[in-house]
Amino acid sequence: MNVAVIGTGYVGLVTGACFSEFGVQVVCVDKDADKIAALRRGQMPIYEPGLEDLVGRNVREGRLSFSSDTAEAVQNALVVFIAVGTPAAVDGSTDLTFIEAVAREIGRCFDGYKVVVTKSTVPVGTGKKVRRWIQEELDIKGSSARFSVASNPEFLREGAAIGDFMRPDRVVIGTDEGDEQALAIMKDLYRPLFLNETPFVIANVATAELSKYAANAFLATKISFINEMSILCERVGGDVQGVARAMGLDKRIGSKFLHAGPGYGGSCFPKDTLSAAHFARELGVDFEIVEATIRANKRQRDHVTQKIRAALGGSVAGKTISFLGLSFKPETDDVRDSPAIEIARNLVEDGATIRAFDPQAMAEAGEVIPQLVLCKDAYEACEGGDALVIATEWNQFRMLDLPRVKEKLAEALMIDLRNIYRADALTAAGFEYVSVGR
Ligand code: UDX
């Protein structure tokens, strides 16, 4: 089977590489010729564990290629995935400009049957629009070509995306009711996972589109819930990790996504919660839980920033802060909507000097906050710091050489926004220790 994946961002590239690993013939397409040239040289546009090897192997074995020629890739493919960006507009709605452009381009360049699948996260109803845009282009050229529209949302976590694709909790496929041909083709494409006994959710297009928002909004709600709980814990002398454990052992709740911290970030949760709230409002439905989740997330970022100010005596002006972790979570260089970045920016605006280190996201962070003093490792970042802030829980920050950190810092104060240390251990090492909800 031949597959074209339009858009070689995070989702498109992982999807294309993983399908080629299944043995399918894949062309990944992007308008950005420089990006395609770099990919052809084996250079990845993002840091994702295992991706470079996966791409390299499948290119060498002739199953994966890169192109800027959408028309040729679409003509040769039976299944065309749309995996372009769907940025949030200022009002929280989803900007479908790129999806429309690609759908129309697809419509202009095929004449045989295709299944056009939306992989990008798109508001409910986008499948119908994609169908209309393609049909309009076919009508203009007087073509009677047939096509199906499907939705196959991704549930890939950055840093674990390849594992999530190869061993997913579930695969969701949405097709028009009665469209047996499209469903059979999609099932065939995912046959390796069917054989693996991966659960499949077969639904109509709207259900598939909604399921992505439902999952992400629910996970974001779990995080905001435990973050609000952490504030309660701080008031009454409770320990949020104990509360999370007690909750999580209830099998109906589950222990995942109950880590209190500086709030969720990244390219998905902030955008998807805003978008869900927005399209619900447009449909005349109040999605109140998600609205509250969004507000609580904003408040949590302010709350932990305030915690840093308080630990430093009420103001950070003129202070030096050693700052570890800039990406929105470990194992990625992605700083999009990273709580670490927002907190660092607030501290810079308050007049602090930030000596920062992140294992992967230094260049990206330096672009968005040029005032950061970028250090070569955690210990260099600690030099002369009035406090050490741990903002992202990279593994290498979990076992810092505490005597060395203490020697480098001007003040032995650690503000651990990810609760990766134990208070008693830090106190024993001579630190003043501040964490979240404990
Ligand atoms: C998410 C979804 O998990 C994935 O299924 C989806 O399709 C894309 O969005 P991702 O953004 O890569 O994936 O990161 P994820 O691991 O889900 O974490 C999101 C944010 O929540 C991070 O900022 C993380 O630090 C935060 N988080 C997560 C918490 O604050 N507490 C938790 O317990 C879990």
Side-chain angles (χ1 to χ4, degrees):
M1 187 184 304
N2 286 346
V3 167
V5 181
I6 319 287
T8 57
Y10 197 83
V11 171
L13 192 53
V14 171
T15 301
C18 289
F19 276 132
S20 68
E21 181 77 3
F22 286 174
V24 170
Q25 210 59 41
V26 180
V27 183
C28 285
V29 183
D30 206 291
K31 277 196 313 216
D32 183 341
D34 292 341
K35 202 174 188 186
I36 292 298
L39 280 164
R40 283 181 173 157
R41 288 193 302 272
Q43 288 164 0
M44 300 299 107
I46 48 163
Y47 170 73
E48 177 64 30
L51 185 62
E52 197 170 323
D53 285 350
L54 189 73
V55 167
R57 182 170 63 245
N58 283 287
V59 168
R60 275 194 306 280
E61 293 172 9
R63 289 184 298 266
L64 177 63
S65 60
F66 298 99
S67 165
S68 333
D69 188 342
T70 310
E72 189 187 36
V74 170
Q75 273 152 14
N76 293 333
L78 175 60
V79 182
V80 182
F81 280 93
I82 303 181
V84 292
T86 47
V90 261
D91 61 354
S93 66
T94 305
D95 178 354
L96 294 178
T97 316
F98 300 123
I99 300 267
E100 176 172 357
V102 169
R104 290 193 180 280
E105 198 169 355
I106 293 170
R108 281 196 292 274
C109 64
F110 77 91
D111 33 36
Y113 175 76
K114 309 277 166 208
V115 186
V116 179
V117 190
T118 315
K119 200 67 169 151
S120 311
T121 301
V122 290
V124 194
T126 305
K128 279 194 183 139
K129 290 182 182 166
V130 167
R131 163 173 298 288
R132 196 184 74 224
W133 291 325
I134 295 174
Q135 192 58 55
E136 281 173 9
E137 295 301 322
L138 289 173
D139 290 347
I140 290 170
K141 62 180 189 184
S143 165
S144 56
R146 284 177 51 248
F147 66 98
S148 295
V149 166
S151 162
N152 174 216
E154 55 85 14
F155 297 97
L156 309 174
R157 284 167 304 165
E158 292 191 16
I162 292 167
D164 283 351
F165 194 99
M166 296 295 187
R167 291 174 297 282
D169 289 340
R170 77 308 208 181
V171 172
V172 178
I173 298 175
T175 52
D176 286 338
E177 266 148 80
D179 189 345
E180 297 301 332
Q181 187 176 10
L183 186 56
I185 291 169
M186 290 302 287
K187 280 186 174 170
D188 193 30
L189 183 58
Y190 275 108
R191 196 158 28 127
L193 296 184
F194 260 117
L195 298 176
N196 246 351
E197 299 191 349
T198 299
F200 276 69
V201 179
I202 308 295
N204 64 24
V205 175
T207 306
E209 287 171 341
L210 258 183
S211 63
K212 170 66 190 273
Y213 285 97
N216 274 2
F218 192 82
L219 290 170
T221 301
K222 248 183 136 176
I223 298 168
S224 277
F225 184 92
I226 202 68
N227 283 337
E228 290 204 318
M229 195 53 75
S230 78
I231 299 177
L232 285 174
C233 285
E234 287 169 8
R235 292 288 158 84
V236 299
D239 178 341
V240 73
Q241 284 179 313
V243 174
R245 186 163 151 75
M247 284 174 69
L249 285 169
D250 184 326
K251 291 193 180 61
R252 294 168 301 177
I253 298 175
S255 59
K256 304 253 170 76
F257 279 68
L258 286 178
H259 299 289
Y264 60 77
S267 65
C268 285
F269 286 179
K271 180 165 78 82
D272 292 353
T273 44
L274 278 176
S275 171
H278 186 272
F279 71 66
R281 236 178 285 128
E282 293 227 304
L283 292 166
V285 179
D286 289 328
F287 205 162
E288 293 191 40
I289 289 178
V290 173
E291 304 265 8
T293 292
I294 296 166
R295 282 196 303 275
N297 196 54
K298 162 97 190 71
R299 186 177 67 177
Q300 188 69 8
R301 292 182 178 196
D302 295 343
H303 176 72
V304 297
T305 309
Q306 196 48 38
K307 207 184 248 300
I308 298 170
R309 292 190 190 106
L312 281 154
S315 165
V316 298
K319 301 272 165 89
T320 297
I321 298 177
S322 307
F323 202 93
L324 299 185
L326 297 161
S327 56
F328 81 97
K329 65 171 197 176
E331 296 299 327
T332 175
D333 59 1
D334 197 341
V335 298
R336 282 177 289 176
D337 219 330
S338 168
I341 292 289
E342 185 177 335
I343 294 162
R345 186 182 285 120
N346 288 337
L347 298 174
V348 165
E349 281 168 8
D350 284 357
T353 300
I354 304 289
R355 295 179 61 81
F357 173 71
D358 184 283
Q360 289 293 338
M362 299 291 268
E364 292 74 6
E367 263 171 45
V368 292
I369 315 179
Q371 299 93 326
L372 292 179
V373 180
L374 298 175
C375 300
K376 75 170 193 321
D377 62 24
Y379 300 100
E380 190 180 292
C382 286
E383 273 165 25
D386 294 303
L388 167 61
V389 172
I390 298 182
T392 309
E393 70 281 30
W394 284 88
N395 275 337
Q396 58 178 267
F397 303 151
R398 290 177 187 270
M399 295 272 275
L400 292 170
D401 177 347
L402 293 176
R404 193 170 162 207
V405 168
K406 187 159 177 260
E407 190 192 297
K408 301 260 177 198
L409 288 171
E411 298 291 334
L413 166 62
M414 182 194 281
I415 302 157
D416 174 6
L417 301 182
R418 297 288 183 170
N419 291 349
I420 59 176
Y421 282 94
R422 288 175 45 158
D424 52 359
L426 266 283
T427 311
F431 281 80
E432 188 190 335
Y433 179 70
V434 177
S435 59
V436 177
R438 306 192 292 175

